[in-house]
Each structure stands twice: as C-alpha cells, then as structure tokens.
mmCIF file of all heavy atoms in Angstrom:
data_model
loop_
_atom_site.group_PDB
_atom_site.id
_atom_site.type_symbol
_atom_site.label_atom_id
_atom_site.label_comp_id
_atom_site.label_asym_id
_atom_site.label_seq_id
_atom_site.Cartn_x
_atom_site.Cartn_y
_atom_site.Cartn_z
ATOM 1 N N ILE W 71 129.725 87.356 79.227
ATOM 2 C CA ILE W 71 128.672 87.335 78.208
ATOM 3 C C ILE W 71 127.422 88.046 78.721
ATOM 4 O O ILE W 71 126.767 88.800 77.992
ATOM 5 C CB ILE W 71 128.355 85.885 77.811
ATOM 6 C CG1 ILE W 71 129.600 85.220 77.201
ATOM 7 C CG2 ILE W 71 127.190 85.835 76.822
ATOM 8 C CD1 ILE W 71 129.423 83.753 76.888
ATOM 9 N N GLU W 72 127.115 87.826 79.984
ATOM 10 C CA GLU W 72 125.971 88.506 80.592
ATOM 11 C C GLU W 72 126.174 90.020 80.583
ATOM 12 O O GLU W 72 125.242 90.781 80.306
ATOM 13 C CB GLU W 72 125.785 87.993 82.020
ATOM 14 C CG GLU W 72 124.636 88.623 82.779
ATOM 15 C CD GLU W 72 124.544 88.092 84.186
ATOM 16 O OE1 GLU W 72 124.557 86.852 84.340
ATOM 17 O OE2 GLU W 72 124.477 88.902 85.129
ATOM 18 N N THR W 73 127.387 90.457 80.863
ATOM 19 C CA THR W 73 127.695 91.884 80.865
ATOM 20 C C THR W 73 127.575 92.478 79.468
ATOM 21 O O THR W 73 127.127 93.614 79.294
ATOM 22 C CB THR W 73 129.112 92.121 81.420
ATOM 23 O OG1 THR W 73 129.216 91.530 82.720
ATOM 24 C CG2 THR W 73 129.409 93.599 81.532
ATOM 25 N N VAL W 74 127.982 91.709 78.449
ATOM 26 C CA VAL W 74 127.868 92.189 77.068
ATOM 27 C C VAL W 74 126.405 92.447 76.714
ATOM 28 O O VAL W 74 126.055 93.497 76.153
ATOM 29 C CB VAL W 74 128.508 91.177 76.098
ATOM 30 C CG1 VAL W 74 128.196 91.551 74.647
ATOM 31 C CG2 VAL W 74 130.007 91.116 76.306
ATOM 32 N N PHE W 75 125.542 91.494 77.038
ATOM 33 C CA PHE W 75 124.117 91.666 76.744
ATOM 34 C C PHE W 75 123.526 92.822 77.537
ATOM 35 O O PHE W 75 122.736 93.617 77.013
ATOM 36 C CB PHE W 75 123.358 90.366 77.051
ATOM 37 C CG PHE W 75 123.465 89.335 75.974
ATOM 38 C CD1 PHE W 75 124.288 88.230 76.120
ATOM 39 C CD2 PHE W 75 122.744 89.465 74.795
ATOM 40 C CE1 PHE W 75 124.397 87.282 75.124
ATOM 41 C CE2 PHE W 75 122.843 88.518 73.794
ATOM 42 C CZ PHE W 75 123.671 87.420 73.960
ATOM 43 N N TYR W 76 123.913 92.923 78.803
ATOM 44 C CA TYR W 76 123.363 93.986 79.643
ATOM 45 C C TYR W 76 123.814 95.368 79.159
ATOM 46 O O TYR W 76 123.026 96.313 79.120
ATOM 47 C CB TYR W 76 123.789 93.776 81.095
ATOM 48 C CG TYR W 76 123.207 94.804 82.046
ATOM 49 C CD1 TYR W 76 121.873 94.758 82.410
ATOM 50 C CD2 TYR W 76 123.994 95.829 82.543
ATOM 51 C CE1 TYR W 76 121.329 95.709 83.266
ATOM 52 C CE2 TYR W 76 123.464 96.778 83.404
ATOM 53 C CZ TYR W 76 122.131 96.709 83.765
ATOM 54 O OH TYR W 76 121.604 97.652 84.605
ATOM 55 N N THR W 77 125.088 95.482 78.775
ATOM 56 C CA THR W 77 125.585 96.754 78.267
ATOM 57 C C THR W 77 124.874 97.145 76.974
ATOM 58 O O THR W 77 124.530 98.321 76.760
ATOM 59 C CB THR W 77 127.099 96.671 78.023
ATOM 60 O OG1 THR W 77 127.742 96.240 79.226
ATOM 61 C CG2 THR W 77 127.663 98.023 77.619
ATOM 62 N N SER W 78 124.629 96.173 76.114
ATOM 63 C CA SER W 78 123.883 96.444 74.887
ATOM 64 C C SER W 78 122.477 96.951 75.196
ATOM 65 O O SER W 78 121.986 97.892 74.557
ATOM 66 C CB SER W 78 123.819 95.185 74.021
ATOM 67 O OG SER W 78 125.115 94.713 73.703
ATOM 68 N N CYS W 79 121.842 96.340 76.182
ATOM 69 C CA CYS W 79 120.496 96.782 76.573
ATOM 70 C C CYS W 79 120.514 98.195 77.139
ATOM 71 O O CYS W 79 119.608 99.001 76.865
ATOM 72 C CB CYS W 79 119.907 95.816 77.598
ATOM 73 S SG CYS W 79 119.520 94.177 76.955
ATOM 74 N N VAL W 80 121.531 98.529 77.930
ATOM 75 C CA VAL W 80 121.632 99.866 78.503
ATOM 76 C C VAL W 80 121.794 100.913 77.406
ATOM 77 O O VAL W 80 121.138 101.966 77.416
ATOM 78 C CB VAL W 80 122.803 99.941 79.503
ATOM 79 C CG1 VAL W 80 123.087 101.378 79.906
ATOM 80 C CG2 VAL W 80 122.486 99.107 80.739
ATOM 81 N N LEU W 81 122.656 100.619 76.423
ATOM 82 C CA LEU W 81 122.869 101.569 75.331
ATOM 83 C C LEU W 81 121.618 101.702 74.459
ATOM 84 O O LEU W 81 121.260 102.813 74.038
ATOM 85 C CB LEU W 81 124.055 101.125 74.478
ATOM 86 C CG LEU W 81 125.432 101.219 75.148
ATOM 87 C CD1 LEU W 81 126.508 100.634 74.239
ATOM 88 C CD2 LEU W 81 125.761 102.666 75.503
ATOM 89 N N ILE W 82 120.950 100.588 74.191
ATOM 90 C CA ILE W 82 119.731 100.648 73.381
ATOM 91 C C ILE W 82 118.631 101.403 74.124
ATOM 92 O O ILE W 82 117.874 102.178 73.530
ATOM 93 C CB ILE W 82 119.271 99.227 73.008
ATOM 94 C CG1 ILE W 82 120.281 98.581 72.055
ATOM 95 C CG2 ILE W 82 117.894 99.254 72.363
ATOM 96 C CD1 ILE W 82 119.995 97.130 71.749
ATOM 97 N N GLN W 83 118.541 101.197 75.426
ATOM 98 C CA GLN W 83 117.537 101.910 76.216
ATOM 99 C C GLN W 83 117.813 103.412 76.212
ATOM 100 O O GLN W 83 116.889 104.222 76.081
ATOM 101 C CB GLN W 83 117.528 101.384 77.648
ATOM 102 C CG GLN W 83 116.430 101.991 78.510
ATOM 103 C CD GLN W 83 116.486 101.474 79.934
ATOM 104 O OE1 GLN W 83 117.551 101.120 80.431
ATOM 105 N NE2 GLN W 83 115.351 101.434 80.599
ATOM 106 N N ALA W 84 119.083 103.792 76.353
ATOM 107 C CA ALA W 84 119.429 105.216 76.290
ATOM 108 C C ALA W 84 119.107 105.792 74.914
ATOM 109 O O ALA W 84 118.565 106.903 74.800
ATOM 110 C CB ALA W 84 120.904 105.409 76.625
ATOM 111 N N LEU W 85 119.435 105.042 73.859
ATOM 112 C CA LEU W 85 119.114 105.494 72.506
ATOM 113 C C LEU W 85 117.614 105.644 72.311
ATOM 114 O O LEU W 85 117.158 106.540 71.584
ATOM 115 C CB LEU W 85 119.691 104.509 71.486
ATOM 116 C CG LEU W 85 119.406 104.807 70.011
ATOM 117 C CD1 LEU W 85 120.002 106.150 69.609
ATOM 118 C CD2 LEU W 85 119.950 103.687 69.122
ATOM 119 N N TYR W 86 116.842 104.801 72.965
ATOM 120 C CA TYR W 86 115.380 104.851 72.887
ATOM 121 C C TYR W 86 114.868 106.223 73.330
ATOM 122 O O TYR W 86 114.060 106.854 72.644
ATOM 123 C CB TYR W 86 114.820 103.740 73.776
ATOM 124 C CG TYR W 86 113.396 103.353 73.499
ATOM 125 C CD1 TYR W 86 113.049 102.759 72.296
ATOM 126 C CD2 TYR W 86 112.405 103.545 74.445
ATOM 127 C CE1 TYR W 86 111.745 102.379 72.042
ATOM 128 C CE2 TYR W 86 111.103 103.168 74.208
ATOM 129 C CZ TYR W 86 110.773 102.580 72.998
ATOM 130 O OH TYR W 86 109.483 102.224 72.755
ATOM 131 N N TYR W 87 115.363 106.700 74.476
ATOM 132 C CA TYR W 87 114.954 108.008 74.970
ATOM 133 C C TYR W 87 115.482 109.122 74.085
ATOM 134 O O TYR W 87 114.749 110.041 73.696
ATOM 135 C CB TYR W 87 115.470 108.233 76.393
ATOM 136 C CG TYR W 87 114.841 107.334 77.427
ATOM 137 C CD1 TYR W 87 115.626 106.560 78.274
ATOM 138 C CD2 TYR W 87 113.465 107.261 77.561
ATOM 139 C CE1 TYR W 87 115.056 105.740 79.231
ATOM 140 C CE2 TYR W 87 112.885 106.437 78.501
ATOM 141 C CZ TYR W 87 113.684 105.680 79.345
ATOM 142 O OH TYR W 87 113.123 104.869 80.280
ATOM 143 N N TYR W 88 116.774 109.056 73.764
ATOM 144 C CA TYR W 88 117.401 110.143 73.025
ATOM 145 C C TYR W 88 116.829 110.271 71.619
ATOM 146 O O TYR W 88 116.716 111.375 71.080
ATOM 147 C CB TYR W 88 118.925 109.931 72.956
ATOM 148 C CG TYR W 88 119.606 110.093 74.287
ATOM 149 C CD1 TYR W 88 120.514 109.137 74.759
ATOM 150 C CD2 TYR W 88 119.351 111.199 75.090
ATOM 151 C CE1 TYR W 88 121.135 109.283 75.990
ATOM 152 C CE2 TYR W 88 119.973 111.341 76.314
ATOM 153 C CZ TYR W 88 120.867 110.397 76.756
ATOM 154 O OH TYR W 88 121.481 110.550 77.967
ATOM 155 N N TRP W 89 116.486 109.148 71.003
ATOM 156 C CA TRP W 89 115.968 109.190 69.632
ATOM 157 C C TRP W 89 114.623 109.907 69.587
ATOM 158 O O TRP W 89 114.420 110.818 68.774
ATOM 159 C CB TRP W 89 115.844 107.771 69.080
ATOM 160 C CG TRP W 89 115.256 107.739 67.700
ATOM 161 C CD1 TRP W 89 113.956 107.584 67.346
ATOM 162 C CD2 TRP W 89 115.985 107.882 66.473
ATOM 163 N NE1 TRP W 89 113.802 107.618 66.000
ATOM 164 C CE2 TRP W 89 115.033 107.807 65.425
ATOM 165 C CE3 TRP W 89 117.327 108.069 66.170
ATOM 166 C CZ2 TRP W 89 115.395 107.904 64.079
ATOM 167 C CZ3 TRP W 89 117.690 108.174 64.831
ATOM 168 C CH2 TRP W 89 116.729 108.090 63.814
ATOM 169 N N TYR W 90 113.698 109.510 70.447
ATOM 170 C CA TYR W 90 112.373 110.134 70.429
ATOM 171 C C TYR W 90 112.433 111.587 70.903
ATOM 172 O O TYR W 90 111.700 112.445 70.400
ATOM 173 C CB TYR W 90 111.393 109.331 71.289
ATOM 174 C CG TYR W 90 110.938 108.052 70.632
ATOM 175 C CD1 TYR W 90 111.432 106.812 71.051
ATOM 176 C CD2 TYR W 90 110.036 108.066 69.591
ATOM 177 C CE1 TYR W 90 111.027 105.632 70.445
ATOM 178 C CE2 TYR W 90 109.623 106.895 68.979
ATOM 179 C CZ TYR W 90 110.122 105.680 69.402
ATOM 180 O OH TYR W 90 109.724 104.522 68.800
ATOM 181 N N GLY W 91 113.302 111.870 71.882
ATOM 182 C CA GLY W 91 113.481 113.253 72.290
ATOM 183 C C GLY W 91 114.032 114.108 71.172
ATOM 184 O O GLY W 91 113.618 115.267 70.996
ATOM 185 N N ASN W 92 114.953 113.544 70.381
ATOM 186 C CA ASN W 92 115.503 114.276 69.246
ATOM 187 C C ASN W 92 114.447 114.508 68.166
ATOM 188 O O ASN W 92 114.427 115.568 67.512
ATOM 189 C CB ASN W 92 116.690 113.505 68.670
ATOM 190 C CG ASN W 92 117.417 114.259 67.598
ATOM 191 O OD1 ASN W 92 118.179 115.186 67.871
ATOM 192 N ND2 ASN W 92 117.197 113.888 66.346
ATOM 193 N N GLU W 93 113.570 113.516 67.960
ATOM 194 C CA GLU W 93 112.510 113.674 66.971
ATOM 195 C C GLU W 93 111.569 114.827 67.341
ATOM 196 O O GLU W 93 111.172 115.618 66.485
ATOM 197 C CB GLU W 93 111.721 112.371 66.847
ATOM 198 C CG GLU W 93 112.464 111.242 66.163
ATOM 199 C CD GLU W 93 112.709 111.515 64.693
ATOM 200 O OE1 GLU W 93 111.752 111.891 63.991
ATOM 201 O OE2 GLU W 93 113.861 111.379 64.251
ATOM 202 N N VAL W 94 111.217 114.913 68.622
ATOM 203 C CA VAL W 94 110.348 116.011 69.070
ATOM 204 C C VAL W 94 111.056 117.350 68.909
ATOM 205 O O VAL W 94 110.461 118.339 68.466
ATOM 206 C CB VAL W 94 109.917 115.788 70.534
ATOM 207 C CG1 VAL W 94 109.110 116.975 71.039
ATOM 208 C CG2 VAL W 94 109.098 114.509 70.663
ATOM 209 N N ARG W 95 112.328 117.399 69.275
ATOM 210 C CA ARG W 95 113.081 118.655 69.181
ATOM 211 C C ARG W 95 113.180 119.139 67.733
ATOM 212 O O ARG W 95 112.939 120.321 67.452
ATOM 213 C CB ARG W 95 114.484 118.454 69.762
ATOM 214 C CG ARG W 95 115.315 119.724 69.831
ATOM 215 C CD ARG W 95 116.683 119.440 70.439
ATOM 216 N NE ARG W 95 117.423 120.669 70.643
ATOM 217 C CZ ARG W 95 118.139 121.284 69.702
ATOM 218 N NH1 ARG W 95 118.214 120.749 68.490
ATOM 219 N NH2 ARG W 95 118.781 122.404 69.965
ATOM 220 N N GLU W 96 113.513 118.226 66.816
ATOM 221 C CA GLU W 96 113.643 118.611 65.420
ATOM 222 C C GLU W 96 112.302 119.033 64.834
ATOM 223 O O GLU W 96 112.229 119.982 64.041
ATOM 224 C CB GLU W 96 114.224 117.436 64.609
ATOM 225 C CG GLU W 96 115.644 117.064 64.989
ATOM 226 C CD GLU W 96 116.627 118.182 64.704
ATOM 227 O OE1 GLU W 96 116.397 118.934 63.734
ATOM 228 O OE2 GLU W 96 117.610 118.320 65.457
ATOM 229 N N LYS W 97 111.234 118.349 65.233
ATOM 230 C CA LYS W 97 109.912 118.708 64.712
ATOM 231 C C LYS W 97 109.458 120.061 65.237
ATOM 232 O O LYS W 97 108.828 120.844 64.504
ATOM 233 C CB LYS W 97 108.899 117.626 65.105
ATOM 234 C CG LYS W 97 107.583 117.709 64.344
ATOM 235 C CD LYS W 97 107.781 117.426 62.873
ATOM 236 C CE LYS W 97 106.472 117.460 62.104
ATOM 237 N NZ LYS W 97 106.655 117.171 60.671
ATOM 238 N N SER W 98 109.765 120.369 66.491
ATOM 239 C CA SER W 98 109.370 121.664 67.048
ATOM 240 C C SER W 98 110.143 122.809 66.395
ATOM 241 O O SER W 98 109.625 123.918 66.251
ATOM 242 C CB SER W 98 109.602 121.676 68.560
ATOM 243 O OG SER W 98 110.977 121.537 68.874
ATOM 244 N N LEU W 99 111.395 122.547 65.994
ATOM 245 C CA LEU W 99 112.177 123.576 65.314
ATOM 246 C C LEU W 99 111.730 123.801 63.872
ATOM 247 O O LEU W 99 112.098 124.820 63.268
ATOM 248 C CB LEU W 99 113.668 123.197 65.326
ATOM 249 C CG LEU W 99 114.392 123.327 66.675
ATOM 250 C CD1 LEU W 99 115.808 122.778 66.564
ATOM 251 C CD2 LEU W 99 114.418 124.772 67.142
ATOM 252 N N SER W 100 110.965 122.864 63.325
ATOM 253 C CA SER W 100 110.493 123.014 61.949
ATOM 254 C C SER W 100 109.181 123.774 61.839
ATOM 255 O O SER W 100 108.650 123.906 60.733
ATOM 256 C CB SER W 100 110.329 121.629 61.307
ATOM 257 O OG SER W 100 109.297 120.887 61.947
ATOM 258 N N VAL W 101 108.658 124.279 62.962
ATOM 259 C CA VAL W 101 107.398 125.040 62.923
ATOM 260 C C VAL W 101 107.519 126.285 62.046
ATOM 261 O O VAL W 101 106.596 126.597 61.275
ATOM 262 C CB VAL W 101 106.947 125.397 64.354
ATOM 263 C CG1 VAL W 101 105.761 126.353 64.322
ATOM 264 C CG2 VAL W 101 106.562 124.129 65.105
ATOM 265 N N PRO W 102 108.622 127.072 62.130
ATOM 266 C CA PRO W 102 108.731 128.213 61.201
ATOM 267 C C PRO W 102 108.646 127.809 59.738
ATOM 268 O O PRO W 102 108.061 128.535 58.917
ATOM 269 C CB PRO W 102 110.106 128.807 61.548
ATOM 270 C CG PRO W 102 110.320 128.444 62.973
ATOM 271 C CD PRO W 102 109.718 127.078 63.118
ATOM 272 N N GLU W 103 109.209 126.660 59.376
ATOM 273 C CA GLU W 103 109.103 126.190 58.005
ATOM 274 C C GLU W 103 107.659 125.827 57.662
ATOM 275 O O GLU W 103 107.218 126.031 56.522
ATOM 276 C CB GLU W 103 110.008 124.980 57.794
ATOM 277 C CG GLU W 103 111.482 125.269 58.011
ATOM 278 C CD GLU W 103 112.337 124.037 57.851
ATOM 279 O OE1 GLU W 103 111.770 122.958 57.531
ATOM 280 O OE2 GLU W 103 113.566 124.127 58.036
ATOM 281 N N MET W 104 106.918 125.292 58.652
ATOM 282 C CA MET W 104 105.505 125.011 58.425
ATOM 283 C C MET W 104 104.743 126.292 58.103
ATOM 284 O O MET W 104 103.879 126.321 57.214
ATOM 285 C CB MET W 104 104.892 124.351 59.665
ATOM 286 C CG MET W 104 105.529 123.049 60.087
ATOM 287 S SD MET W 104 104.777 122.459 61.625
ATOM 288 C CE MET W 104 105.848 121.101 62.041
ATOM 289 N N VAL W 105 105.062 127.359 58.828
ATOM 290 C CA VAL W 105 104.384 128.643 58.597
ATOM 291 C C VAL W 105 104.721 129.180 57.218
ATOM 292 O O VAL W 105 103.849 129.683 56.487
ATOM 293 C CB VAL W 105 104.781 129.652 59.695
ATOM 294 C CG1 VAL W 105 104.170 131.020 59.402
ATOM 295 C CG2 VAL W 105 104.318 129.157 61.060
ATOM 296 N N ILE W 106 105.987 129.065 56.820
ATOM 297 C CA ILE W 106 106.395 129.575 55.516
ATOM 298 C C ILE W 106 105.737 128.787 54.387
ATOM 299 O O ILE W 106 105.361 129.362 53.350
ATOM 300 C CB ILE W 106 107.931 129.524 55.395
ATOM 301 C CG1 ILE W 106 108.562 130.495 56.393
ATOM 302 C CG2 ILE W 106 108.386 129.858 53.981
ATOM 303 C CD1 ILE W 106 110.064 130.445 56.440
ATOM 304 N N ASP W 107 105.565 127.482 54.576
ATOM 305 C CA ASP W 107 104.938 126.659 53.548
ATOM 306 C C ASP W 107 103.434 126.871 53.450
ATOM 307 O O ASP W 107 102.811 126.404 52.484
ATOM 308 C CB ASP W 107 105.223 125.184 53.821
ATOM 309 C CG ASP W 107 106.688 124.840 53.638
ATOM 310 O OD1 ASP W 107 107.377 125.579 52.917
ATOM 311 O OD2 ASP W 107 107.150 123.840 54.242
ATOM 312 N N SER W 108 102.837 127.527 54.429
ATOM 313 C CA SER W 108 101.401 127.782 54.381
ATOM 314 C C SER W 108 101.107 128.972 53.460
ATOM 315 O O SER W 108 102.014 129.685 53.022
ATOM 316 C CB SER W 108 100.870 128.074 55.783
ATOM 317 O OG SER W 108 101.435 129.268 56.291
ATOM 318 N N ASN W 109 99.830 129.197 53.185
ATOM 319 C CA ASN W 109 99.422 130.319 52.326
ATOM 320 C C ASN W 109 99.267 131.595 53.155
ATOM 321 O O ASN W 109 98.206 132.215 53.197
ATOM 322 C CB ASN W 109 98.111 129.976 51.618
ATOM 323 C CG ASN W 109 98.260 128.802 50.670
ATOM 324 O OD1 ASN W 109 99.282 128.639 50.020
ATOM 325 N ND2 ASN W 109 97.227 127.969 50.610
ATOM 326 N N TRP W 110 100.348 131.999 53.792
ATOM 327 C CA TRP W 110 100.292 133.149 54.688
ATOM 328 C C TRP W 110 100.159 134.470 53.927
ATOM 329 O O TRP W 110 99.702 135.477 54.491
ATOM 330 C CB TRP W 110 101.556 133.189 55.547
ATOM 331 C CG TRP W 110 102.833 133.303 54.763
ATOM 332 C CD1 TRP W 110 103.570 132.283 54.276
ATOM 333 C CD2 TRP W 110 103.487 134.504 54.370
ATOM 334 N NE1 TRP W 110 104.666 132.749 53.595
ATOM 335 C CE2 TRP W 110 104.646 134.123 53.639
ATOM 336 C CE3 TRP W 110 103.225 135.856 54.556
ATOM 337 C CZ2 TRP W 110 105.515 135.059 53.096
ATOM 338 C CZ3 TRP W 110 104.101 136.786 54.024
ATOM 339 C CH2 TRP W 110 105.231 136.396 53.305
#
C-alpha cells in the first residue's frame, strides 16, 4: 500500500513538471499566431 501511494506521488510529480513545461512550449510556439492576429 505504501508503494502504491509512493508510485502515485512519483507519477504526479513527473506530470507536474511535464505539464507546465508543455504549457510554456505550446505558448512559445503560438507567437507567430500572436503576430498574425495583431494589426501588422
């Protein structure tokens, strides 16, 4: 039971990093769309 909880924490902790890193990556790739949406 202890291992089950610990494994869940390890996966959630990894998801914590990967999720926010993915958010930054996707937002940085949307910069060209930001430029197109502006009054250029």
Side-chain angles (χ1 to χ4, degrees):
I71 298 175
E72 179 182 310
T73 304
V74 171
F75 280 104
Y76 183 74
T77 305
S78 302
C79 292
V80 169
L81 291 175
I82 293 174
Q83 185 182 29
L85 178 61
Y86 198 66
Y87 293 126
Y88 291 131
W89 177 267
Y90 285 105
N92 187 76
E93 289 292 311
V94 175
R95 185 179 186 277
E96 295 296 328
K97 194 66 178 181
S98 64
L99 287 174
S100 66
V101 172
E103 298 178 2
M104 301 176 189
V105 175
I106 294 175
D107 292 337
S108 64
N109 296 324
W110 60 271

